[in-house]
Amino acid sequence: MPKQKMKVASRVAARKFRAKTVGLPPGALIHVGEQKIERPVISFFDYDPGKLESRQDVSIEECLAMKSSSTISWINLDGIHDIPLLEKFGQNFDLHPLALEDILNTQHRPKLEEFEDYSLIILKMLEFNEETEQISAEQISLVLTPHYVLSFQERPGDVFDGLRDRLRRSNGRIRQRGTDYLVYGLIDSIVDSYFQILEKLGDRLALLEEQLIVAPNQDCQHKIHHFKRELLNLRKLVWPLREVISQLYSGEAQLVEETTAVYLRDLYDHVIQVLDTVELYRDTVSGLLDLYLSSISYRMNEVMQVLTIMASLFIPLTFIAGIYGMNFENMPELKQSWGYPAVWGIMIACVIGMLTYFKRKKWF
Amino acid sequence: MPKQKMKVASRVAARKFRAKTVGLPPGALIHVGEQKIERPVISFFDYDPGKLESRQDVSIEECLAMKSSSTISWINLDGIHDIPLLEKFGQNFDLHPLALEDILNTQHRPKLEEFEDYSLIILKMLEFNEETEQISAEQISLVLTPHYVLSFQERPGDVFDGLRDRLRRSNGRIRQRGTDYLVYGLIDSIVDSYFQILEKLGDRLALLEEQLIVAPNQDCQHKIHHFKRELLNLRKLVWPLREVISQLYSGEAQLVEETTAVYLRDLYDHVIQVLDTVELYRDTVSGLLDLYLSSISYRMNEVMQVLTIMASLFIPLTFIAGIYGMNFENMPELKQSWGYPAVWGIMIACVIGMLTYFKRKKWF
Amino acid sequence: MPKQKMKVASRVAARKFRAKTVGLPPGALIHVGEQKIERPVISFFDYDPGKLESRQDVSIEECLAMKSSSTISWINLDGIHDIPLLEKFGQNFDLHPLALEDILNTQHRPKLEEFEDYSLIILKMLEFNEETEQISAEQISLVLTPHYVLSFQERPGDVFDGLRDRLRRSNGRIRQRGTDYLVYGLIDSIVDSYFQILEKLGDRLALLEEQLIVAPNQDCQHKIHHFKRELLNLRKLVWPLREVISQLYSGEAQLVEETTAVYLRDLYDHVIQVLDTVELYRDTVSGLLDLYLSSISYRMNEVMQVLTIMASLFIPLTFIAGIYGMNFENMPELKQSWGYPAVWGIMIACVIGMLTYFKRKKWF
Amino acid sequence: MPKQKMKVASRVAARKFRAKTVGLPPGALIHVGEQKIERPVISFFDYDPGKLESRQDVSIEECLAMKSSSTISWINLDGIHDIPLLEKFGQNFDLHPLALEDILNTQHRPKLEEFEDYSLIILKMLEFNEETEQISAEQISLVLTPHYVLSFQERPGDVFDGLRDRLRRSNGRIRQRGTDYLVYGLIDSIVDSYFQILEKLGDRLALLEEQLIVAPNQDCQHKIHHFKRELLNLRKLVWPLREVISQLYSGEAQLVEETTAVYLRDLYDHVIQVLDTVELYRDTVSGLLDLYLSSISYRMNEVMQVLTIMASLFIPLTFIAGIYGMNFENMPELKQSWGYPAVWGIMIACVIGMLTYFKRKKWF
Amino acid sequence: MPKQKMKVASRVAARKFRAKTVGLPPGALIHVGEQKIERPVISFFDYDPGKLESRQDVSIEECLAMKSSSTISWINLDGIHDIPLLEKFGQNFDLHPLALEDILNTQHRPKLEEFEDYSLIILKMLEFNEETEQISAEQISLVLTPHYVLSFQERPGDVFDGLRDRLRRSNGRIRQRGTDYLVYGLIDSIVDSYFQILEKLGDRLALLEEQLIVAPNQDCQHKIHHFKRELLNLRKLVWPLREVISQLYSGEAQLVEETTAVYLRDLYDHVIQVLDTVELYRDTVSGLLDLYLSSISYRMNEVMQVLTIMASLFIPLTFIAGIYGMNFENMPELKQSWGYPAVWGIMIACVIGMLTYFKRKKWF
């Protein structure tokens, strides 16, 4: 039970941020959300088809050179709570104050925002906690320019390791292509990770269904409630992504080339598939609730039948026994030698009558 | 319970206004809604990048000068029940009778109405009463012209203090921009305050959920019903705002410049986020109702099982005891010395049989 | 209960009309619906900014003069069941047979039909019967031409008295304007009357909610069912009006001038507000049903707990008493002087045990 | 109960047809559905404003002459299972194989199909069986060409008798107009018959509702289920008709003239009214289910209260009586002369206590 | 119950595939889904109006000749798990890596993807397992080029035998037409097989409904749950097909000729009919759940009434008998000779009173 509580609490926290910004000018930089890392870390990849340079934990000044070079650069920042650092990013890479505000506000919906010479893409990286069975979200902001990509993460650890490996291999397609393909690769990694989460959720739902059929109990009900909420949340996080990707490939983002658009269309199909599956799971969960409720009803019925059969059989018998337990002086039956067996006979007849009745009613 | 009643009553009152206007010509000025302030108060801000003048409690004549000055002016009226004063506003600032009627009718949906040389924007400022857990709405009407902004409030006290502070500081962006940016600032303050209300609502829902899991009672049910209605109401108030802002930035309002439109697009995202959260809360509340109902069902089941077990165990035993409490003269078992222990034996066998049966049915 | 029945019957009657027209040519004039007045009555208003003539109960011939005069005329017919009279109207005012059929068929949805040189507008005037709490509809058909307006009502009595007063006053705006403004005035009066009905409905819902919280009974359930149906019906009657008015102001009706269109846009907002409120009430009613059902469930739980506690406490005790009511000769306990107090002791122990158990289960 | 079964079975049969066609080339003529008439019968009407010829049971060769004549002809075939005859129709009247296949497949949705020089319209003629309360559908296919109309029915008996009478009267509008008006007349007859069915359905729903309020039983529940399904089915059959008519009058069917289009627009309104009513009935039926379920719940509550009151009153009394039925030698109360009255006193006190408690709980 | 479990498990498996592809470059070929055949088998049909060649189990090289021949060829591959073979297909027939990836990923939604000189169509072939009552899907991918069609199946066995027969007959329409008509024929066969599955599902639903009305038990509930899920799944698989076919005939696929488009439009109608039926079944299933739940409720009511009647009749009688079983010395009634009959009289009066009460309550 405290588990449930904690989850709600954390979601509430998610709404807390805006309260702080009331009365502040738009574009004022405040980090909303919890600080998830001690010290922000900058790393970069700088490559063209022929060569690759990759470094961890560099200073912002070391990145500036790449801004104007003809190679493709991917500069990543883990930890966005350090506002002065972010402002420096803003000044050095000419980011609009509203863009910086969006990057800092980790409660944003996924969206694509076109600025004069760059695009800002906001995404959610999801993680499924095996123990609490909760999905937690981390916000990833991507800035796409002709020669470099900036990515901002809340904390270290992401789903881009496969992509990094492909960058390091010199023969991959990714090294031949521009920043738009790099951004596609980043989003693709994130969408692929959604499938993993759906798979885990599906396993849990299967377990829950099995338990519901074998032995429904109150814990099932809490779990149904829990998954319902997680799926609501998941849909809210993934749904806007559909539009983001469709805007990317339909030419709204001027930096995406036609050769990359075909990949984005494929990615769009994957997102649709994710959303389909979320809807399917939502229907499944609501089916599980029906199953739970009807199981409870059915079981109640069974319980009541047992009670009714027991009571209906024995209450009349007890009454008969009670009759001849009375102490009236004038009870002629008591004196007869056939009295006791006769009473037994009546009782057995009663029982047979009742059982026939219940049998006909199909109660057992 | 009287609490619940009061709330309904107040909402009903909200519908009362129209009854008064039946048969009146359109544009007839009647103040609908309750009078929320003793005496209307006019205040203004008059500024350009270089200087700022701000005064409280002035007369309408003092404001007229600003009408044609080249500075940006924001004239605010607290208390709209004084109809002659409002008519004077109308004449002096050339407002259409229908515009005045809309300002007076505090039951209006949020909307944007374009007139020849000004725009009328109607908004709702919301407040969450911590004690009654109800959301009350105050109507704000904004008149946007090239050189001044009029705002009409039902009562003093608003969410614009942060904005006023920014106006007073000479270096803020707001001092450099036109009336469209001022109006953006006003709407932004209102939308920011919605997040605060959502946060408080979220806290209450979290508390309610916890209580439902720990100890559901009839009070929970009334609270679920209450929040359901508040959210319905909230959605009804916020939903049209979406369209208002989209009309503002999409060029329907001719007074909004392109540089302000980018801020309004950002604001639009915030309103979408508010509506998403309202929908999420609505789904949450309906999930809570399911939880409540299934808890009740589950608990009923438990109660019935206890009853059935108790009755099924003891009713047969009582019957057996009743048998040997009969007073027939001819009951041979009664005379036997092993009779009494034998009866105990039968009884214990009965009990063990029943318990085994219930165990197998997984009743405990 | 006969009340409920009557209502359904009347709604069924509403569907009866079409059966009569099967096999008849389209445009055949048959009055469908009940005859609601003895004798049809014609009255008219004839005015221009300078003068006004108004007469009651005139013949159709007296109206013909106004057809070609330059003044604005409003000719009203109360009672449409007199088909020859209506045909005379049709011939004299050049109405299309389909238009006449629509006027006669009082089961029509609200609609706007454009004919060559006039527009036909069909509306519903609603009335709330305080006693039966039912909404009854009367159909109003308006024919809008450049110089006169025809209105057809099913029976005398309408919501246009305020409008008539304004016509009589020489200084009102309505006297300066054309037939389109007159039609606007008529529709406005009808929409204003909807607000009155919504207000009364709201009051009843508030009372019902209060009763549900204090003491839910089966009558509540029937009332919920009743209001649900009335709201369904109300929505069905008002919903198409939205489109009618939008067609009027959006230029589809060629007789509506731009100066009147601004008033119609305002009216459109009011209709949206009516529909919003109907939706809100529908959600409220379905919330009341949930409240009723969960109250019933909760109460059942309470009842069951009382039963279970009583039975669980006393059934074991009765069994113990039954044991020592047996008549075995060999029951050593009976002979002991401590037997009786000991039995009391055991019984009291039983009761305390049970109470502790129920307490721990939070049953009281 | 066998009734219910039969209905489902028949609906299933409706789906059977497709199985037969698997693997066949498209356009292969197979009659799907049951054969509903012994021998197909051809009849025709051939008319112009001046003269009319009408014959029953003619051969296909007798119809061919009308194909090229300048009069308007309506050729009707009752019974479509005779495939060679249909193929002859196809060859003689130049019908596309797909058109013939559509005519034969009596499970088709209503639709309008435009071919090069004719239009194919598929419709459903409905019948309400008073006894089984089921709606059965018969498919009508109309082929509209400039000079003749073909109609194909599954069996004799239709709703066109009124239309035939109008054709025979020489002064009707229908004789002056072309084939498009004839087709309008046919569809109008069918839509009018829908209103009759809705009226009958409405009567049944009213009866059902009355019974639900007076004495809900399990039969009600089966009827609710039955009507729900019939309405689902009805909607499925009528819904596509909306689009068919809208396509007809909006110019998609090149053979429909503007003067007929106005009648079709009116017809469209009628179809919308049918669909509105179907939706209203669906909502009504779902309201009836709520009513039924809450009645059942309420009644259960009542039953439980009676049980609880009886048990709570008498179980303690029986226990007290049991106490003094014990045979302990040492029970001092038994020897006292006030013992018996005292026990009665205690019992009466118990009863009064319980009754007060239940009274306070408002159980009776 | 293990049945249910298995099904869930298999659906979960369906989601497993994506997990494997995380971090891989897009277009990397991995077979996702289970391997359903030992050894892949290639077969082909090569025909023109005059001649036909058809062979089973050929090598890929034997097919290459047909690539450039002027005849129409249909090359079919059963078993897609052999990745090198598929890559060879890709190279020889110039398939895009993304196309190959889509073919291998058997979890794809149906879709149409246009590539430069061919179209990729992904479809689902469904099978209904009579025993487990589950629908299993097999993915079919079609590659449509001007001169040949490639089809990829997961395992041998399909619904195309009828089509093959028509190909072998030299006089069929299919031999006269191009590849677009062949593709139409393939899709048509698949859609026809959907009707078979719907028919079987309909039969099962009819049986289930009958059982629900005659004797609802917990097995019904599990079946309802089962069918609900199967229908959810079915809809998910068929829904996107609507769009695929509409894209095919609306000119988006450049290889489809106008003469084939008319057939595709007909096919589109069939798919709509499938979806309509799926929706109808979904509504039916949810109606069955309502039926089940209300049956359970009704039955509970009956059970409770029996219990209450039995208990209310006998508990008071038992109490009376208990009274006169007490052993007080001073109980004057016991000594009277009329005592015993009088008690019987009282008891009978009690019973008659109770029965009258229950009769009036209509409990039996």
Side-chain angles (χ1 to χ4, degrees), chain D residues 123-190:
Chain D
L123 297 166
K124 297 290 172 183
M125 196 153 71
L126 303 181
E127 207 175 342
F128 184 75
N129 186 324
E130 300 271 349
E131 211 161 315
T132 62
E133 300 188 331
Q134 285 175 246
I135 295 166
S136 59
E138 181 188 344
Q139 179 160 313
I140 310 280
S141 313
L142 304 177
V143 173
L144 165 64
T145 72
H147 289 110
Y148 57 91
V149 170
L150 306 179
S151 64
F152 300 88
Q153 305 188 31
E154 292 184 59
R155 60 176 163 255
D158 54 36
V159 296
F160 302 141
D161 288 336
L163 185 79
R164 291 195 184 92
D165 289 348
R166 265 151 52 209
L167 276 176
R168 289 195 189 97
R169 273 180 266 127
S170 64
N171 59 349
R173 199 185 301 144
I174 196 165
R175 291 273 289 275
Q176 331 294 329
R177 312 288 283 261
T179 50
D180 55 343
Y181 193 84
L182 177 60
V183 159
Y184 156 71
L186 290 165
I187 306 180
D188 186 53
S189 304
I190 287 173

Side-chain angles (χ1 to χ4, degrees), chain A residues 27-40:
Chain A
L29 294 191
I30 299 182
H31 175 246
V32 284
E34 5 165 8
Q35 180 178 334
K36 290 171 174 166
I37 179 176
E38 281 287 304
R39 198 175 59 82

Side-chain angles (χ1 to χ4, degrees), chain A residues 8 12 225 229 304 324 337, chain B residues 203 206 209 290 304 327 330:
Chain A
V8 179
V12 166
H225 183 66
R229 234 171 29 189
M304 291 304 305
Y324 295 103
S337 66
Chain B
D203 287 348
E209 182 171 35
D290 286 343
M304 290 306 304
N327 298 319
N330 170 29

Side-chain angles (χ1 to χ4, degrees), chain A residues 42 44 55 58-67 75 85 88-89 92-93:
Chain A
I42 304 175
F44 71 83
R55 281 177 50 201
V58 298
S59 74
I60 192 165
E61 287 75 16
E62 295 175 83
C63 300
L64 283 180
M66 291 177 288
K67 214 181 121 178
I75 301 162
L85 180 66
K88 241 160 104 182
F89 258 101
N92 286 319
F93 292 97

Side-chain angles (χ1 to χ4, degrees), chain C residues 8 12 18 24 26 107 109 111 221 225 228-229 232 299-300 304 324-327 334 337 340, chain D residues 166 184 195 199 203 206 209 269 273 276 283 290 294-295 300 304 315 326-327 329-330 333 362:
Chain C
V8 178
V12 167
R18 277 275 136 199
L24 286 172
Q107 309 303 334
R109 311 171 82 218
K111 69 164 179 178
Q221 169 197 337
H225 184 67
K228 206 172 182 176
R229 234 171 30 189
L232 263 176
R299 191 160 174 183
M300 175 97 84
M304 290 306 303
Y324 295 102
M326 293 195 294
N327 298 319
L334 295 180
S337 65
Y340 183 52
Chain D
R166 265 151 52 209
Y184 156 71
F195 282 99
E199 187 193 329
D203 288 348
E209 183 172 35
D269 280 354
Q273 208 173 334
D276 271 13
D283 283 330
D290 286 343
S294 57
S295 295
M300 174 97 85
M304 291 305 303
I315 286 180
M326 292 195 294
N327 298 318
E329 284 183 358
N330 168 30
E333 302 97 313
K362 301 225 174 103

Side-chain angles (χ1 to χ4, degrees), chain D residues 253-359:
Chain D
Q254 72 271 34
L255 294 170
V256 175
E257 287 171 40
E258 188 49 40
T259 46
T260 304
V262 61
Y263 289 94
L264 284 164
R265 260 195 296 277
D266 194 66
L267 189 54
Y268 183 82
D269 280 354
H270 292 174
V271 173
I272 295 290
Q273 208 173 334
V274 169
L275 287 169
D276 271 13
T277 308
V278 170
E279 282 313 304
L280 191 73
Y281 284 0
R282 273 165 49 93
D283 283 330
T284 303
V285 165
S286 102
L288 292 183
L289 184 63
D290 286 343
L291 190 61
Y292 175 75
L293 285 174
S294 57
S295 295
I296 293 287
S297 282
Y298 190 81
R299 191 158 174 184
M300 174 97 85
N301 241 356
E302 261 189 349
V303 170
M304 291 305 303
Q305 284 183 15
V306 168
L307 174 60
T308 303
I309 289 169
M310 290 304 290
S312 302
L313 281 182
F314 286 102
I315 286 180
L317 303 190
T318 304
F319 161 67
I320 294 169
I323 288 288
Y324 295 103
M326 292 195 294
N327 298 318
F328 284 102
E329 284 183 358
N330 168 30
M331 290 179 69
E333 302 97 313
L334 294 180
K335 311 294 192 309
Q336 314 299 332
S337 65
W338 48 261
Y340 183 52
V343 161
W344 270 116
I346 292 168
M347 286 175 173
I348 288 165
C350 268
V351 169
I352 291 171
M354 290 310 279
L355 290 178
T356 315
Y357 175 77
F358 291 139
K359 195 92 202 168

Side-chain angles (χ1 to χ4, degrees), chain A residues 343-356:
Chain A
V343 160
W344 269 115
I346 293 168
M347 286 176 172
I348 289 166
C350 268
V351 168
I352 291 172
M354 291 310 279
L355 289 179
T356 314

Side-chain angles (χ1 to χ4, degrees), chain E residues 301-362:
Chain E
N301 240 355
E302 261 188 348
V303 170
M304 291 304 304
Q305 284 183 15
V306 168
L307 174 61
T308 303
I309 289 169
M310 290 305 288
S312 302
L313 281 181
F314 286 101
I315 287 179
L317 303 189
T318 304
F319 161 66
I320 294 170
I323 287 289
Y324 295 102
M326 293 196 293
N327 298 319
F328 285 102
E329 283 182 358
N330 169 29
M331 289 179 70
E333 301 97 315
L334 294 180
K335 312 290 192 309
Q336 312 301 330
S337 66
W338 48 259
Y340 183 52
V343 160
W344 269 116
I346 293 169
M347 285 175 172
I348 289 166
C350 268
V351 168
I352 291 171
M354 291 310 278
L355 289 179
T356 315
Y357 174 77
F358 291 139
K359 196 92 201 168
R360 230 182 41 219
K361 286 229 159 200
K362 301 224 174 105

